[in-house]
Amino acid sequence: MPRPIITLTTDFGLSDHFVGAMKGVILTIAPNADIVDISHELPPYSVSEACFLVGEATPWFPKKTIHVVVIDPGVGSARRPILVEAAGQYFIGPDNGVFSMVRAAAGKSKVREITNPKWMLPKVSRTFHGRDVFAPSAAHLAKGAAPAEAGKLIADALQLRLAAPEQTNKRAWTGVVLKIDRFGNMITNFIAADFERIRTRPFELAIGFERLSKLAINYAECGYGELFVIEGSSGYLEISANQAHAAKKLGCGVGAPVELTLY
Amino acid sequence: MPRPIITLTTDFGLSDHFVGAMKGVILTIAPNADIVDISHELPPYSVSEACFLVGEATPWFPKKTIHVVVIDPGVGSARRPILVEAAGQYFIGPDNGVFSMVRAAAGKSKVREITNPKWMLPKVSRTFHGRDVFAPSAAHLAKGAAPAEAGKLIADALQLRLAAPEQTNKRAWTGVVLKIDRFGNMITNFIAADFERIRTRPFELAIGFERLSKLAINYAECGYGELFVIEGSSGYLEISANQAHAAKKLGCGVGAPVELTLY
Amino acid sequence: MPRPIITLTTDFGLSDHFVGAMKGVILTIAPNADIVDISHELPPYSVSEACFLVGEATPWFPKKTIHVVVIDPGVGSARRPILVEAAGQYFIGPDNGVFSMVRAAAGKSKVREITNPKWMLPKVSRTFHGRDVFAPSAAHLAKGAAPAEAGKLIADALQLRLAAPEQTNKRAWTGVVLKIDRFGNMITNFIAADFERIRTRPFELAIGFERLSKLAINYAECGYGELFVIEGSSGYLEISANQAHAAKKLGCGVGAPVELTLY
């Protein structure tokens, strides 16, 4: 029988003891758990980056996987710890909107506030709920505890608005850069399948001081450093440059506006 | 039956082959081992940082866990490879003081010099004992070898002095910054439980050019960027700033003096 | 029975969702797989760095290990996905030379083009074959599929020339820096066993503006920051500095020429 999988996604970095302490807590409670690192290099405090990463990485995992996400600027305050059930998987973390993309994609989901002291360490600190609340909760779930033991269902979990592009006239839309990846690819919020016409007809995508009109099939077909639009692996239109950092070339970051015009 | 756990803590970084080679050696000898990364991003050569990280992360692991720590500027010289038994867990690494905090917290511990050639690779290089000595030793222990097979007990393992704050007059103490974490929180060597009076009475904590007198319960209750004192998750007083980097704001680093005055 | 091991080596970094998505795909197909991270911090697009890292890390793993390597600037273009069998292990990645060192060391190897659609996800993107081709291929192999199911043997896989030092006169050779590790050690392509005479007789190794004539046995025997030559743990001559960054001191990088003269 496969071991229960617990994934970890945090902004803790890898030079401190935080991630190690969480892993120790999990393995003490659920020695059989298979801990899988997704990322510990999220930008500190960036709930929106974490929301995107969790939304893109977790759908590829098997049913029953338990995902622990700790990006938690409000630790120790009134924000609640929650357990989300969505798309057959479990998500544990703070109620700060970090699961918004997962929940929106799943359509329906259940959210419980984690209040059961048995799911927490005996002493809960004010500043490290990754170790004291989220890790032990995941481990108890992995050991076979029922989700309902976590606590009561809540209906008012924080759900971030995930902005779709807005149509500004008959042939034009305004969207936004959601994410810049390590290679400098700029992932926009234009879903490629909603704009299939750009595959066959002229278009212009304006970002920063550039106007792009080339849709590439892969990176390698373009000249070194050339900017182009491509359908990314997440299904969004991306702005890329072959073996170069598109975002640095354009001087734009997350949140930069993107204008699409179809001709 | 759960698999034997071997954790890894090194200053090897993640862009070289060192960590991969160690994992391969472990899995060749002990295919059943469960390898858990604690950190590979320790600052190169910093035994004191490693000592703190190991002291904070490893107590959370189950009994019998085997912790391999490779921060080893003296590799290939006369410094001995050691196996420490403390608090029901095992620690393998160089005899350079890196296990001082673990040993001090445990109260009593046994230390053996690893001399058994069967616990090492057939050819031991002069520069990579992580692969040639520490990884195979951990794997043999995980496979069921007795600790005594490693080599003889020694009584003179290097033990760093872990400085407690010094009292400078009736109401004042001088301590030091032990560690700065990824978020810029400055962990001091003042143990919060030893200074409970600051919870109810005025105090002043001087660091750099600042004098702090606010004790926060959590990060979120303070203004953005505001400096304050908080009881950290390791039980030490910490100097923090809400969603800002306290150490950069103060221009202070590890080893900076901290003066506490009670009123 | 030990779980099948799948290692991951990529240039994806750890702040994006790419590595997490690959792990999810693997665990969905082969829930029993033991995923081992070798590195996700390779410099983007650097096939030669990846080739060296894979060549140095993978020989330490047990037979039957499956190594997935994704450093893939040509993703989505005509470059083929391949499965290499060498030295009793499996290697999956793009046909861009990244397995050259492994294949050269093994002497003989078999290479197959991966063409079986059952080894890929139902929808293969143009930009993320790590998730859509390489991860599922590794998982099917881990589940017991025969290598021959991947596709046909090919004889023209790209093999990089791994340059050995050239003799320039009776007592002199010209080589090159292959790799600079995290500590600043400069790994040359001089195989120490081919130049044993330097252990007993005077020599001079010229790099940048320096001429080195000291062969050290270990780092610690030299003065802080002193430059010297040492036989590295990979069997190559390395240029190092005790607790200092040799490459920065010399102002040289990968590919810098190295001249060795024996006296």
Side-chain angles (χ1 to χ4, degrees):
Chain A
M1 210 179 78
R3 297 154 70 190
I5 300 167
I6 297 177
T7 79
L8 302 181
T9 303
T10 76
D11 62 353
F12 287 156
L14 289 162
S15 56
D16 297 325
H17 62 276
F18 306 126
V19 173
M22 287 181 64
K23 291 178 176 179
V25 167
I26 289 170
L27 291 169
T28 299
I29 297 170
N32 203 38
D34 193 4
I35 299 175
V36 175
D37 293 303
I38 288 185
S39 173
H40 301 292
E41 296 293 352
L42 281 164
Y45 321 120
S46 177
V47 173
S48 60
E49 289 255 351
C51 179
F52 182 84
L53 189 149
V54 170
E56 289 298 327
T58 60
W60 302 96
F61 279 81
K63 302 285 174 202
K64 305 284 181 195
T65 299
I66 300 161
H67 301 285
V68 178
V69 181
V70 192
I71 178 128
D72 196 12
V75 62
S77 69
R79 76 93 191 90
R80 301 167 292 189
I82 56 172
L83 164 62
V84 176
E85 296 172 71
Q89 302 189 70
Y90 303 105
F91 300 84
I92 289 173
D95 177 24
N96 60 13
V98 73
F99 301 122
S100 300
M101 198 164 141
V102 160
R103 291 178 65 205
K108 59 181 184 179
S109 59
K110 281 191 229 175
V111 185
R112 291 174 190 280
E113 181 177 356
I114 301 173
T115 53
N116 185 347
K118 290 185 192 162
W119 283 41
M120 306 175 191
L121 294 191
K123 180 166 186 283
V124 174
S125 71
R126 292 294 192 148
T127 59
F128 190 7
H129 286 189
R131 179 192 69 194
D132 303 338
V133 178
F134 303 127
S137 289
H140 285 290
L141 196 55
K143 266 184 79 179
E149 294 175 40
K152 289 195 180 151
L153 289 172
I154 59 174
D156 61 345
L158 185 61
Q159 181 69 6
L160 303 177
R161 202 176 84 84
L162 304 167
E166 284 180 24
Q167 191 157 8
T168 51
N169 71 41
K170 198 178 164 195
R171 300 180 314 179
W173 288 259
T174 294
V176 81
V177 173
L178 287 179
K179 159 86 182 173
I180 293 165
D181 74 18
R182 179 189 206 200
F183 303 95
N185 300 310
M186 310 175 80
I187 303 171
T188 74
N189 65 343
F190 285 92
I191 295 174
D194 294 345
F195 294 90
E196 296 218 324
R197 218 180 81 154
I198 69 170
R199 291 188 190 156
T200 49
R201 297 286 296 279
F203 71 93
E204 190 178 80
L205 190 145
I207 177 154
F209 296 108
E210 296 283 337
R211 291 165 184 279
L212 310 175
S213 55
K214 175 168 184 174
L215 181 73
I217 299 299
N218 61 58
Y219 301 132
E221 74 175 81
C222 301
Y224 180 90
E226 182 185 351
L227 286 163
F228 53 87
V229 179
I230 190 166
E231 180 177 339
S233 59
S234 302
Y236 297 103
L237 295 183
E238 299 184 13
I239 299 151
S240 296
N242 184 28
Q243 297 193 41
H245 197 287
K248 284 187 191 158
K249 284 181 87 84
L250 286 163
C252 294
V254 168
V258 179
E259 312 281 337
L260 176 67
T261 310
L262 303 180
Y263 293 111
Chain B
M1 210 179 77
R3 298 154 69 189
I5 300 167
I6 298 177
T7 80
L8 301 181
T9 304
T10 76
D11 63 353
F12 287 156
L14 289 163
S15 56
D16 297 324
H17 61 278
F18 306 127
V19 173
M22 286 180 66
K23 291 179 176 179
V25 166
I26 289 169
L27 291 170
T28 298
I29 298 170
N32 203 39
D34 193 4
I35 300 175
V36 175
D37 293 304
I38 288 185
S39 173
H40 300 291
E41 297 291 353
L42 281 164
Y45 320 122
S46 176
V47 173
S48 60
E49 289 255 353
C51 180
F52 182 84
L53 189 148
V54 170
E56 289 298 328
T58 62
W60 303 97
F61 280 83
K63 302 285 174 200
K64 305 284 181 195
T65 299
I66 300 161
H67 301 285
V68 178
V69 181
V70 191
I71 178 128
D72 196 11
V75 60
S77 70
R79 76 92 189 92
R80 299 166 295 189
I82 56 174
L83 165 63
V84 177
E85 296 171 72
Q89 302 190 69
Y90 303 105
F91 300 84
I92 289 174
D95 177 24
N96 60 13
V98 74
F99 302 121
S100 301
M101 198 165 141
V102 160
R103 291 179 64 207
K108 60 181 183 177
S109 59
K110 281 192 227 174
V111 185
R112 293 173 189 280
E113 180 178 357
I114 300 173
T115 52
N116 185 347
K118 288 184 192 162
W119 282 41
M120 306 174 191
L121 294 191
K123 182 166 184 282
V124 174
S125 72
R126 292 293 192 147
T127 58
F128 190 8
H129 286 189
R131 178 191 68 194
D132 303 339
V133 178
F134 303 127
S137 290
H140 284 290
L141 197 55
K143 266 183 79 178
E149 294 176 38
K152 290 194 181 154
L153 289 171
I154 59 175
D156 61 344
L158 184 61
Q159 182 68 4
L160 303 177
R161 199 175 87 82
L162 303 167
E166 285 180 24
Q167 191 157 10
T168 51
N169 72 41
K170 200 180 163 195
R171 300 182 312 178
W173 289 259
T174 295
V176 79
V177 173
L178 288 179
K179 158 88 182 174
I180 293 165
D181 74 18
R182 180 191 206 200
F183 302 95
N185 300 310
M186 309 176 80
I187 303 172
T188 74
N189 66 344
F190 286 92
I191 295 172
D194 293 347
F195 294 90
E196 296 218 324
R197 219 180 79 152
I198 69 171
R199 291 188 191 155
T200 49
R201 297 286 296 279
F203 72 94
E204 187 178 81
L205 191 143
I207 177 154
F209 295 108
E210 297 283 338
R211 293 167 183 277
L212 309 175
S213 56
K214 174 168 185 174
L215 182 73
I217 299 298
N218 60 55
Y219 301 132
E221 73 175 83
C222 300
Y224 180 91
E226 183 185 352
L227 286 162
F228 54 87
V229 180
I230 190 166
E231 179 177 341
S233 58
S234 302
Y236 296 103
L237 295 183
E238 300 184 13
I239 299 151
S240 297
N242 185 26
Q243 297 193 43
H245 198 285
K248 283 186 190 158
K249 283 182 85 83
L250 286 163
C252 294
V254 169
V258 180
E259 313 280 338
L260 177 68
T261 309
L262 304 179
Y263 293 110
Chain C
M1 211 178 77
R3 296 155 69 190
I5 301 167
I6 297 176
T7 79
L8 302 181
T9 304
T10 76
D11 62 353
F12 287 155
L14 289 162
S15 56
D16 298 324
H17 62 277
F18 305 127
V19 172
M22 286 180 66
K23 290 179 176 179
V25 167
I26 289 170
L27 291 169
T28 299
I29 298 170
N32 203 38
D34 193 4
I35 298 176
V36 175
D37 292 304
I38 288 185
S39 172
H40 300 292
E41 296 292 352
L42 281 164
Y45 320 121
S46 178
V47 173
S48 61
E49 288 256 352
C51 179
F52 181 84
L53 189 149
V54 170
E56 289 299 326
T58 61
W60 303 97
F61 279 82
K63 302 285 175 201
K64 305 283 180 194
T65 300
I66 300 162
H67 301 286
V68 178
V69 181
V70 191
I71 179 130
D72 196 11
V75 60
S77 69
R79 75 93 190 91
R80 300 168 292 191
I82 56 173
L83 164 63
V84 176
E85 295 172 73
Q89 302 190 71
Y90 303 105
F91 300 84
I92 289 173
D95 177 24
N96 60 13
V98 74
F99 301 122
S100 300
M101 200 165 139
V102 160
R103 291 179 64 206
K108 61 180 183 178
S109 60
K110 280 192 229 176
V111 185
R112 293 175 190 279
E113 180 177 356
I114 300 172
T115 53
N116 185 346
K118 289 184 192 163
W119 283 41
M120 306 175 191
L121 293 191
K123 181 166 185 282
V124 174
S125 72
R126 293 294 191 147
T127 58
F128 190 8
H129 286 189
R131 179 192 68 193
D132 303 337
V133 178
F134 303 129
S137 290
H140 284 291
L141 196 56
K143 267 184 78 178
E149 294 176 39
K152 290 194 179 155
L153 289 171
I154 59 174
D156 60 345
L158 185 61
Q159 182 68 7
L160 303 176
R161 200 176 87 83
L162 304 167
E166 285 181 23
Q167 191 157 9
T168 51
N169 73 40
K170 198 180 165 195
R171 300 182 312 178
W173 287 258
T174 295
V176 80
V177 173
L178 287 179
K179 160 87 183 172
I180 293 166
D181 74 20
R182 179 189 207 203
F183 302 95
N185 300 310
M186 309 175 79
I187 303 172
T188 74
N189 66 343
F190 285 91
I191 295 173
D194 294 345
F195 294 90
E196 296 217 324
R197 221 180 77 152
I198 70 170
R199 291 188 190 157
T200 50
R201 299 285 297 281
F203 72 93
E204 189 177 82
L205 191 145
I207 176 153
F209 296 108
E210 296 285 337
R211 291 164 184 280
L212 311 175
S213 56
K214 174 167 185 174
L215 182 73
I217 299 299
N218 60 57
Y219 302 131
E221 73 174 85
C222 300
Y224 180 90
E226 183 186 351
L227 285 162
F228 53 86
V229 180
I230 191 165
E231 180 178 340
S233 59
S234 303
Y236 297 103
L237 295 182
E238 299 184 13
I239 299 152
S240 296
N242 184 26
Q243 297 192 43
H245 198 286
K248 283 185 190 158
K249 284 181 86 81
L250 287 163
C252 294
V254 168
V258 179
E259 312 280 338
L260 177 67
T261 309
L262 304 179
Y263 293 111

